[in-house]
Amino acid sequence: MIHSLIIEKVVFGGEGLGFIAGKACFVPDVLPGEKVEVEVGQDKKNFLRARLVRILEPSPHRVKPACFYTAHCGGCQYQHVSYKEELRIKENQVREALIKELELSDGSIGSIVPSDNQIRYRSSLTLHIPSSKKGGAGFIGKDNKSIIPVTDCLLADEKMRPLFGAKLRLRGGEDRISYKLSDTGECISDQEERFFRIRLGEESLVASSKGFIQNNLSITEKIVTHLKSWVEESLPDTFFDLYAGIGTFGLLAAINAPKVICFEENPHALAALAMNREEREAARIEIIKGRVERTFPEYFSAHGKGKNVTVWMDPPRQGIEKRVCEFLSRQEGINRIGYLSCDLATLVRDLKIILSGGRYTIEKVQHYDMFPRTKHVEVAVFMRICDGKRI
């Protein structure tokens, strides 16, 4: 059955929200203010999901997608909107979530930082291989299961174009292959164990083919700059870098901290981190190997307390385990906490626990368009100990 409705807003995840007979209806590929016709595909107790049939009254911000895979590929959610409007939508999503869920004041949330490039910004990507081996490599489709073969991706750096359509060498049993781009323009596969260099402004870092690096290095450079400024406001005597990876933030943003403690479990990232420390002859940097959930509470309880301590966290998309959040919420001896997240839902979940102890207040929030044309947004939350509880 076809229904017409007006889209009120776009929620986190990229779907538009409208109402049919008072029931919330979520529709992809639409924009706020548009009048559309939709066909309902899912009728749940509290909401509907529908596919777009026809746009009756388009938004002035609607544009023709530059990518012709948009209708089927699940990678991009905002190819149909001007970049200025995409930024506005994402900023509204962050503000709404943090104000509603954490009761923040609007003034504590900064404006979104745009990406220098809206296309060709990715320096890493993962290609999926069909199990039948028929058809080329590609990306997961909108149905979250099929593989859409592609001959190019507009988000990938131009130097990665030769990967599309090339014969990919995979180890037995694997169905995907990841590539990272070095500062010399070489595409390096995770099917081999190699170290290479990436560049962030004036800085050069060693990275691993099997470790994590941010995919938009120009935005990463901006985050480093903002974090460095925040760290230098308080000049901590100890800076804890949890989920440190290759040391991007601990090495580049906490350069004036007398002591930096990096926690990381990935052995390949640890090897690169050790190389980056050695290059800088930084004896003040200590590396703790193992899962943050085990190593950080143990280390901090035994050695961590100081006069001025800052904890910085950049966890995977799934966020931080509850026990670490609870540890932070009640632990004395920490003056400031910074949390960088690429998932708004898990960020809010974890912040609720960290703030529940009443020790910390959110000082400021800064978000970045790390992933233009997609539903994702990078958010940095900076917390400080409440007045009257300073150590």
Side-chain angles (χ1 to χ4, degrees), residues 120-389:
R120 302 299 185 188
Y121 62 84
R122 288 196 67 105
S123 57
S124 65
L125 60 84
T126 297
L127 291 170
H128 297 258
I129 314 298
S131 57
S132 65
K133 306 301 180 183
K134 294 180 180 179
F139 302 116
I140 301 298
K142 287 188 174 182
D143 60 3
N144 289 320
K145 57 183 180 181
S146 61
I147 295 174
I148 309 301
V150 300
T151 57
D152 191 13
C153 172
L154 294 181
L155 304 190
D157 189 290
E158 189 76 31
K159 300 181 187 69
M160 306 186 92
R161 287 189 69 176
L163 298 175
F164 300 98
K167 186 175 182 180
L168 305 179
R169 298 179 180 178
L170 276 75
R171 291 189 293 265
E174 297 194 13
D175 60 358
R176 69 190 68 185
I177 183 169
S178 294
Y179 290 93
K180 298 177 177 67
L181 192 64
S182 76
D183 62 354
T184 61
E186 183 181 3
C187 296
I188 298 167
S189 161
D190 66 349
Q191 301 293 295
E192 54 183 333
E193 187 170 343
R194 283 188 56 188
F195 296 99
F196 61 97
R197 289 190 174 276
I198 61 171
R199 182 162 291 278
L200 291 169
E202 299 296 318
E203 296 285 347
S204 174
L205 289 173
V206 177
S208 166
S209 59
K210 293 179 176 291
F212 171 79
I213 59 171
Q214 301 284 4
N215 69 63
N216 188 334
L217 296 183
S218 68
I219 282 289
T220 305
E221 185 181 346
K222 297 177 194 296
I223 298 173
V224 169
T225 299
H226 289 166
L227 175 59
K228 183 179 179 182
S229 175
W230 182 68
V231 171
E232 290 179 349
E233 288 175 7
S234 62
L235 295 176
D237 52 43
T238 306
F239 181 92
F240 287 90
D241 185 4
L242 311 190
Y243 314 94
I246 64 174
T248 303
F249 298 110
L251 272 63
L252 302 188
I255 58 174
N256 292 320
K259 192 172 185 179
V260 176
I261 318 294
C262 296
F263 294 78
E264 177 57 47
E265 66 171 316
N266 182 291
H268 309 286
L270 280 165
L273 173 58
M275 294 179 199
N276 288 320
R277 177 182 63 176
E278 183 178 353
E279 283 188 350
R280 287 159 176 78
E281 299 180 349
R284 65 190 178 86
I285 297 172
E286 185 175 353
I287 299 173
I288 308 297
K289 303 176 182 179
R291 284 178 57 81
V292 166
E293 290 73 19
R294 176 183 60 82
T295 56
F296 172 65
E298 289 179 359
Y299 183 97
F300 190 87
S301 298
H303 312 288
K305 293 184 179 180
K307 294 181 179 179
N308 188 359
V309 173
T310 292
V311 173
W312 171 257
M313 305 175 288
D314 179 20
R317 190 178 301 278
Q318 62 264 32
I320 301 168
E321 285 193 11
K322 183 179 179 181
R323 56 179 168 165
V324 176
C325 295
E326 292 174 339
F327 180 85
L328 291 168
S329 74
R330 64 176 184 265
Q331 187 62 47
E332 296 183 2
I334 300 173
N335 289 63
R336 284 182 162 194
I337 299 174
Y339 187 159
L340 182 68
S341 173
C342 61
D343 189 288
L344 189 55
T346 58
L347 173 66
V348 168
R349 179 201 68 195
D350 295 344
L351 289 176
K352 284 182 176 180
I353 300 173
I354 295 171
L355 297 171
S356 66
R359 294 187 57 81
Y360 301 100
T361 184
I362 292 179
E363 189 176 5
K364 60 182 177 180
V365 176
Q366 184 60 67
H367 47 310
Y368 308 83
D369 194 26
M370 176 78 80
F371 317 94
R373 311 328 249 155
T374 80
K375 63 185 178 182
H376 304 292
V377 60
E378 197 87 356
V379 184
V381 178
F382 301 94
M383 293 165 273
R384 61 174 173 79
I385 198 164
C386 296
D387 293 337
K389 293 189 177 181

Side-chain angles (χ1 to χ4, degrees), residues 94-112:
V94 172
R95 289 182 182 277
E96 181 178 276
L98 298 185
I99 291 172
K100 177 182 177 181
E101 300 292 337
L102 302 176
E103 299 182 350
L104 285 189
S105 65
D106 188 65
S108 63
I109 305 173
S111 299
I112 190 168

